[in-house]
Amino acid sequence: MSESIPASLPLRNDLIGEEPYGAPQLDVPVCLNVNENPYAPDPAVCDSIAARVRQIAPTLNRYPDREHIELRQAFATYLKRESGVDLSVDQLWGANGSNEIMLQVFQAFGGPGRTALGCDPTYSMYPEYARDTFTAWRVAHRNEDFTLNVERTIAAINEIHPAIVLLTSPNNPTGTPLNMADLKRILAACETAPVAGAAEGVHPVVVVDEAYIEFRNPGTPSAVTLIAEHPNLAVSRTMSKAFAFAGARVGYMAASKGIIDCLRIVRMPYHLSAITQAAALAAFEHTDEQLSRVDHLRDIREQTAAWLTTQTYQGRPLEVAESESNFLLFGGHFADRDRIFRELLDRGVLIRVVGPEGWLRVCMGTDEEMARFRTALAEVLAEEPRDAD
């Protein structure tokens, strides 16, 4: 795409040669590459969405509620049920997907002279948020098993003095959960650490991205349970994944009122349309239906992980990263993961080339889609020549 941009256009110098972010969008029978919920909303949910949109349609000549109070209350009600945490409306904030939430975080706390710290491998959009807001991006490498290296992360906090420390649980693209004890250590370090380019007494904000948190194993706590004790903690959520609502583009953040008010400063006027708000409220009316497939997808994840470990590549069993999300990172030692990706695509199965070299990622689909994936991958692996001794 960048080759089609005329050199006469005043594109920012740091964006010249860049490509827009995005996974392949291909018309294939089995799409398992963007971590969507494969199950469509129930007809009752669709009817409620249509009814709510019809109700507000005559008001579309007016701007929507820019503070989306009713929707923020719905977020609070849901988190009370889902995580057992009582939050007030002014501790919640919504946006067009958690992508916009994260961009607002970088707009509010990043900028020239500021640094954001992540722990790689992690979501590949984070450095793009940093780039777009002129925020420096630094990483502390995870352990070999993709768990957080707490000592390395705290050392980086004390060295670079970031304004934002961005953690992900479950992590994308690995699916690794974030241990609450590790998070508490990071929070404690940030509560005394300075921020480069800020006044004395300013400390980093810790952002935990919980886009896939509903897929965690039962009994695993959410970071939202720590908000009351840690005013520098913000937790990002989305309705895209477990809620089967990716096309609606609804994300939200839970945090202290102070952090939420910072986001309100940088948000665009009327950023959430009346239609988006209506659709989200209708979905929350059917929370049980929207989340009805989460347990099944979790079971499919565990079954698929077990099956993958029985498969071999060049005489060695496939590795599978521990995951509490709706996807699995697998392989570990693929010499040519692009070839495997192409061979699967030739068989009508689209997965994702992402993460460290040697790995591929597959999200959980329907039972029929996962059967197609298993058949296709087994065929591809059977055709792979073994290394010569």
Side-chain angles (χ1 to χ4, degrees), residues 73-245:
Q73 181 59 63
F75 295 146
T77 300
Y78 172 69
L79 288 178
K80 171 64 176 176
R81 165 184 169 163
E82 196 272 341
S83 295
V85 176
D86 277 310
L87 296 173
S88 61
V89 165
D90 56 13
Q91 290 181 284
L92 278 304
W93 184 250
N96 293 283
S98 56
N99 296 106
E100 186 177 33
I101 288 287
M102 286 297 177
L103 183 60
Q104 290 175 347
V105 167
F106 276 76
Q107 289 173 320
F109 302 113
R114 298 287 182 89
T115 300
L117 174 69
C119 298
D120 68 330
T122 194
Y123 184 35
S124 55
M125 269 301 295
Y126 296 154
E128 296 204 18
Y129 302 140
R131 178 201 67 193
D132 294 347
T133 57
F134 301 97
T135 306
W137 173 251
R138 299 281 296 276
V139 294
H141 302 306
R142 290 172 174 267
N143 297 315
E144 289 188 6
D145 64 357
F146 304 128
T147 55
L148 196 68
N149 188 310
V150 180
E151 289 75 18
R152 191 177 293 155
T153 304
I154 291 176
I157 292 167
N158 292 330
E159 175 189 352
I160 68 177
H161 301 156
I164 305 165
V165 176
L166 186 50
L167 308 174
T168 312
S169 183
N171 186 44
N172 183 8
T174 66
T176 317
L178 175 61
N179 182 280
M180 286 294 103
D182 291 345
L183 174 57
K184 289 178 181 178
R185 291 179 62 190
I186 300 296
L187 286 164
C190 287
E191 284 163 359
T192 59
V195 171
E200 185 176 354
V202 173
H203 307 295
V205 169
V206 179
V207 181
V208 180
D209 186 346
E210 290 191 339
Y212 302 93
I213 195 66
E214 283 92 349
F215 295 101
R216 68 193 184 278
N217 292 335
T220 303
S222 162
V224 299
T225 59
L226 302 179
I227 288 174
E229 306 167 33
H230 300 279
N232 64 329
L233 171 64
V235 183
S236 173
R237 292 285 193 104
T238 184
M239 296 180 72
S240 293
K241 310 300 181 179
F243 247 86
F245 224 50

Side-chain angles (χ1 to χ4, degrees), residues 267-285:
R267 64 106 167 95
M268 295 295 288
Y270 310 105
H271 68 295
L272 272 179
S273 77
I275 293 175
T276 299
Q277 294 182 46
L281 288 167
F284 276 124
E285 291 174 0

